[in-house]
């Protein structure tokens, strides 16, 4: 088996070849299938970007229409599946509910589980993209004791999702097109990020030939962690706490630099970007636009900008190449639209879904794929004898 390399966190180990997402962390560049993220955020839609990531190319008009229809007709959940959502406790975290929901797809939709059947994978892909927004909104509704409304398939996926989230009791709720577009752009910005923790989890589980739903549920689980997708909610909590306790940005930054209680400036730093995260730049612009449109004057945006300004001019952050990441400003937009903090990471999951699917499919199709099985450096005792319970003190 040869020598084992010790590489905690896989800082230097490539587990796969991939043609999906290109990142140059030093230059702050992100491209899906070669297309710069800035162009996609400006011109593309969530479903078109999903198609691009999954198939490798932008769709023609008819390809896009077929893809959209295949998704739009699958947004409803089996009636008994709805009851699963009603069974969760009200105070359950929506990420936990979402993960359970995604996992349960394997029980309700057993005809599309075979990873090596192209048609089954096409259907499970459409099912996931269609049903995740429904499940996400149900996770929210359950927490608020609201009825689980049916999706309205005459609407776009995003309008549908916003209605399922916010239409209570007004059934004909229609989101402002600017808000719909901002949501669309945020989802595009999150759609893939090569071999991040949740994507690696999806690939690792999938490498054992587990089905797509099960693999994606592992991704949702990984994303819930505060060092990963949970950071967007953690940023909001950090800003809220600063406001409530009247902590000035400078005083807070001193605590961060002194690593007091291990606190970090959430929404800052990235394993790959050692420059301004290109997504953060776009999100910051969006935050201005959305807040202005909604007439929201959020002190937290000023606070965040102040923290950023201090960081960009402080040796601690400069030396460690810590810049705002995608999550630094997203929460401010989500809050302005009306999402509660615990839903922020769920929105990240909706965004990341096409990337997870694309990466899983690339892995399944790759003849070089092997079951993921990291090695270890064993540090325990080499050998010792079992002692009877009566001999142990
Ligand atoms: N605030 C203060 N110090 C930091 C921060 C931060 N946000 N991030 C890193 N550092 C320091 C860290 O203490 C270490 O310092 P030292 O060399 O003195 O020990 C140095 O920078 C290197 O940090 P690291 O933890 O070794 O870097 P990493 O690549 O393992 O971690 C990270 C990357 C994203 C987990 C980390 O930067 C972090 O915890 N950031 C805050 C959480 C966050 O915003 N996460 C979202 C990431 S972007 C969205 C996503 O992909 O999920």
């Amino acid at each position: 088996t040869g020598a084992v390399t010790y590489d905690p966190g896989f800082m230097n180990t490539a587990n796969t070849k991939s043609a999906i997402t290109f990142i140059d962390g030093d230059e702050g560049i992100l491209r899906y299938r070669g297309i710069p993220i800035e162009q996609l955020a400006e011109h593309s839609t969530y479903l078109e970007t999903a198609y691009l990531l999954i198939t490798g190319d932008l769709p023609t008009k008819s390809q896009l229409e077929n893809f959209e229809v295949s998704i739009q007709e699958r947004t409803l959940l089996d009636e008994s599946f709805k009851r699963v959502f009603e069974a969760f406790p009200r105070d359950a975290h929506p990420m936990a509910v979402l993960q359970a929901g995604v996992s349960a797809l394997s029980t309700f939709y057993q005809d599309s589980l075979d990873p090596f059947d192209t048609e089954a994978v096409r259907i499970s892909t459409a099912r996931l993209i269609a049903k995740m927004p429904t499940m996400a909104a149900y996770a929210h509704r359950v927490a608020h004791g609201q009825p689980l409304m049916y999706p309205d398939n005459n609407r776009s996926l995003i309008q549908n999702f916003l209605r399922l989230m916010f239409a209570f009791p007004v059934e004909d709720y229609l989101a402002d097109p600017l808000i719909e577009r901002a949501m669309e752009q945020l989802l595009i910005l999150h759609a893939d990020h090569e071999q991040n923790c949740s994507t690696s989890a999806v690939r690792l589980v999938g490498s054992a030939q587990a089905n797509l739903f099960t693999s994606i549920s592992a991704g949702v689980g990984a994303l819930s962690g505060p060092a990963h997708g949970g950071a967007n909610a953690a940023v909001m909590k950090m800003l809220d706490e600063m406001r409530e306790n009247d902590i000035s940005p400078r005083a807070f930054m001193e605590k961060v630099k002194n690593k007091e209680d291990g606190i970090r400036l959430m929404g800052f730093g990235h394993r790959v970007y050692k420059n301004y995260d290109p997504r953060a730049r776009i999100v910051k612009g969006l935050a201005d636009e959305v807040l202005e449109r909604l007439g929201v004057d959020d002190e937290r945006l000023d606070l965040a900008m102040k923290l950023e300004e201090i960081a960009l001019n402080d040796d601690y952050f400069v030396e460690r190449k810590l810049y705002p990441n995608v999550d630094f400003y997203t929460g401010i937009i989500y809050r302005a639209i009306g999402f509660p903090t615990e839903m922020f990471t769920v929105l990240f999951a909706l965004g990341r879904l096409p990337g997870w699917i694309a990466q899983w499919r690339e892995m399944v199709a790759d003849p070089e794929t092997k079951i993921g099985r990291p090695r270890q450096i064993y540090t325990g005792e080499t050998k010792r004898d079992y002692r009877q319970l009566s001999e142990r003190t």
Side-chain angles (χ1 to χ4, degrees):
T1 51
V4 169
T5 313
Y6 181 52
D7 183 17
F10 307 108
M11 301 279 286
N12 298 301
T13 303
N15 177 45
T16 186
K17 295 175 185 163
S18 180
I20 300 174
T21 286
F22 172 80
I23 300 178
D24 182 331
D26 294 328
E27 297 295 325
I29 292 173
L30 170 61
R31 298 180 190 137
Y32 299 160
R33 301 284 188 182
I35 305 178
I37 192 66
E38 292 80 5
Q39 292 181 20
L40 290 167
E42 190 179 344
H43 303 293
S44 190
T45 62
Y46 173 61
L47 289 184
E48 186 187 62
T49 297
Y51 187 99
L52 168 73
L53 285 166
I54 292 168
T55 68
D57 225 335
L58 288 168
T60 62
K61 195 164 181 286
S62 68
Q63 284 169 333
L64 182 60
E65 276 167 14
N66 288 341
F67 185 61
E68 285 173 346
V69 169
S70 78
I71 287 162
Q72 235 145 313
E73 66 189 10
R74 291 195 164 88
T75 56
L76 276 87
L77 301 188
D78 188 292
E79 281 305 310
S80 44
F81 195 2
K82 277 176 74 183
R83 288 201 294 277
V84 171
F85 284 85
E86 284 158 358
F88 290 115
R90 267 205 193 191
D91 56 356
H93 195 286
M95 275 300 268
V97 174
L98 182 66
Q99 187 181 5
V102 173
S103 183
L105 288 169
S106 302
T107 69
F108 286 98
Y109 302 97
Q110 296 183 32
D111 58 339
S112 62
L113 300 183
D114 183 352
F116 304 106
D117 175 339
T118 320
E119 184 55 12
V121 170
R122 187 186 72 79
I123 293 173
S124 55
T125 295
R127 282 179 169 154
L128 270 167
I129 299 177
K131 294 180 200 304
M132 274 259 286
T134 310
M135 293 195 279
Y138 283 179
H140 168 77
R141 286 191 166 259
V142 162
H144 294 82
Q146 295 174 359
L148 305 184
M149 284 164 56
Y150 288 108
D152 171 0
N153 289 348
N154 294 316
R155 298 174 182 233
S156 74
L157 193 69
I158 293 175
Q159 270 294 353
N160 213 342
F161 170 61
L162 292 171
R163 172 177 163 274
L164 287 178
M165 273 296 304
F166 299 122
F168 184 71
V170 204
E171 291 239 349
D172 61 355
Y173 172 96
L174 193 66
D176 179 332
L178 185 129
I179 302 305
E180 182 188 4
R181 182 69 199 143
M183 235 7 261
E184 184 119 41
Q185 287 175 299
L186 289 168
L187 295 178
I188 292 171
L189 292 178
H190 286 86
D192 195 52
H193 216 236
E194 46 117 313
Q195 307 312 317
N196 57 87
C197 178
S198 56
T199 302
S200 297
V202 169
R203 277 185 178 263
L204 192 63
V205 172
S207 77
Q209 302 179 0
N211 73 64
L212 180 61
F213 300 139
T214 300
S215 306
I216 300 291
S217 83
V220 177
L223 193 72
S224 69
H228 191 9
N232 55 13
V235 172
M236 190 51 63
K237 284 197 196 102
M238 173 181 83
L239 297 174
D240 281 339
E241 269 169 35
M242 285 175 66
R243 261 190 356 166
E244 276 159 27
N245 302 321
D246 210 12
I247 304 172
S248 75
R250 289 222 171 266
F252 183 77
M253 292 297 254
E254 283 310 308
K255 286 187 185 194
V256 170
K257 290 197 294 179
N258 295 331
K259 300 185 174 166
E260 246 173 70
D261 307 322
I263 58 167
R264 291 190 165 195
L265 179 57
M266 297 313 283
F268 254 70
H270 200 276
R271 174 62 60 77
V272 184
Y273 292 118
K274 302 301 167 195
N275 200 328
Y276 212 103
D277 182 334
R279 301 168 299 174
R281 222 182 274 287
I282 303 172
V283 175
K284 197 175 169 184
L286 264 180
D288 284 335
E289 243 178 80
V290 170
L291 264 57
E292 196 191 314
R293 175 59 153 253
L294 294 174
V296 174
D297 185 15
D298 192 339
E299 243 184 85
R300 283 170 292 225
L301 181 60
D302 304 326
L303 211 50
M305 290 198 309
K306 189 75 198 152
L307 290 170
E308 178 186 331
E309 189 193 316
I310 298 174
L312 297 182
N313 294 296
D314 189 295
D315 285 348
Y316 175 96
F317 294 89
V318 174
E319 279 162 15
R320 290 172 177 76
K321 300 197 167 116
L322 301 170
Y323 292 87
N325 61 48
V326 66
D327 283 329
F328 196 59
Y329 290 105
T330 47
I332 291 166
I333 305 179
Y334 296 148
R335 179 63 66 81
I337 297 178
F339 290 100
T341 311
E342 67 275 8
M343 281 299 286
F344 293 2
T345 311
V346 169
L347 300 173
F348 193 155
L350 293 184
R352 184 56 50 88
L353 178 64
W356 288 333
I357 296 172
Q359 301 269 352
W360 183 90
R361 290 171 59 143
E362 186 181 59
M363 181 199 60
V364 171
D366 183 353
E368 290 181 15
T369 293
K370 288 170 100 63
I371 186 167
R373 206 302 184 188
R375 303 303 302 276
Q376 66 166 11
I377 310 281
Y378 179 68
T379 60
E381 296 209 34
T382 319
K383 182 172 186 294
R384 56 184 182 140
D385 288 326
Y386 180 81
R387 285 193 303 152
Q388 295 297 333
L389 188 54
S390 58
E391 293 164 20
R392 293 173 236 159
T393 47

